[in-house]
Amino acid sequence: MSHTPGVRQAQKQKTRQALLDAALQLLAEQSLSSLGLREVTRAVGVAPTAFYRHFRDTADLGVALVEEALNSLHTALTALLAATGERAGDDGEERIAATVELIAAYVRAHPAHVRFIAREQHGGVQPVRAAIRGQLALFAQEVKEQFAREPEAAGWAEDDLLMLAGMYVDHMVMTASALMEAEGDPEAAARVTVTARRQLRLVSLGRRHWLDERPATP
């Protein structure tokens, strides 16, 4: 009996996800540039030719992993910024604490994704590096749009707001990597968390005083 189109599509998606999951597991111990597609298909239990029904090559698979790794974090941070932005009239401590906890929760839930992004951000596979840069740039643009809706952004230039958003996103990536390195060491993780909050507090302080009148240069 032949499968209906819906069943075939579901099976295709299941195989694609199995390839992504297997690759992510294999990448715990190696870089993408050293990963062979036969390793991935062997782990899934499909023929190597099946790989090409889903990805052009391992670089294409890596780009898909980038999207998978950052999409859920992207959605969560956008929602967090929107929620805390409505109450951002204080010193920003609520947003700072919530942001750092969001990063920590993401690292706990998706350590393999965090490890993959940290390694491949400066790795040897150019399309994957470009995909990470592109996703983070998109991330920064959307953070900037949220910042622009807040009272503290009054009078800010577009470029300055984008710079601020980029700093915010870069800080998240750096904190996630540091927490990943501190895995299994509660004291080290606590130090990373404290430092991350202090750094965001510094960014918040700079934001509030960015437009303060500066003394004339003699």
Side-chain angles (χ1 to χ4, degrees):
M1 182 176 63
S2 62
H3 293 302
T4 64
V7 171
R8 287 197 299 271
Q9 184 59 34
Q11 182 59 46
K12 182 178 180 181
Q13 182 57 38
K14 182 178 178 181
T15 302
R16 184 181 189 275
Q17 189 59 52
L19 290 166
L20 289 169
D21 292 345
L24 194 61
Q25 185 174 358
L26 290 165
L27 288 168
E29 303 297 336
Q30 61 183 308
S31 66
L32 184 64
S33 60
S34 66
L35 181 69
L37 68 87
R38 288 181 180 275
E39 287 181 83
V40 180
T41 55
R42 189 183 308 120
V44 176
V46 299
T49 52
F51 182 92
Y52 295 106
R53 300 192 191 109
H54 305 276
F55 307 103
R56 292 187 299 275
D57 48 30
T58 54
D60 192 35
L61 179 146
V63 170
L65 281 174
V66 170
E67 295 172 357
E68 182 178 80
L70 294 177
N71 275 347
S72 59
L73 179 60
H74 181 183
T75 301
L77 179 64
T78 301
L80 183 151
L81 291 177
T84 55
E86 295 170 0
R87 306 185 293 277
D90 58 3
D91 59 2
E93 284 299 317
E94 179 183 7
R95 170 175 284 179
I96 290 168
T99 299
V100 174
E101 176 50 35
L102 174 66
I103 300 167
Y106 185 80
V107 172
R108 290 193 298 268
H110 306 284
H113 281 129
V114 174
R115 188 180 296 110
F116 169 73
I117 293 295
R119 177 182 290 149
E120 300 301 330
Q121 187 175 11
H122 305 291
V125 182
Q126 192 280 330
V128 174
R129 293 199 311 272
I132 295 172
R133 285 197 305 271
Q135 286 285 327
L136 295 181
L138 178 62
F139 212 164
Q141 181 63 36
E142 296 194 1
V143 170
K144 175 219 151 194
E145 290 170 4
Q146 172 58 41
F147 284 168
R149 290 191 284 269
E150 298 171 5
E152 294 87 348
W156 277 62
E158 291 287 306
D159 287 350
D160 288 345
L161 274 177
L162 185 58
M163 176 184 67
L164 174 67
M167 290 172 61
Y168 202 85
V169 171
D170 287 345
H171 178 271
M172 291 190 68
V173 174
M174 178 183 69
T175 300
S177 296
L179 285 170
M180 190 73 249
E181 291 180 7
E183 186 179 20
D185 186 341
E187 290 186 5
R191 288 194 297 270
V192 171
T193 298
V194 169
T195 298
R197 288 182 176 177
R198 293 178 67 194
Q199 289 168 335
L200 279 181
R201 194 171 296 120
L202 184 60
V203 171
S204 179
L205 180 65
R207 180 186 185 186
R208 292 199 301 274
H209 296 284
W210 181 251
L211 298 179
D212 288 355
E213 185 176 354
R214 295 169 178 77
T217 302

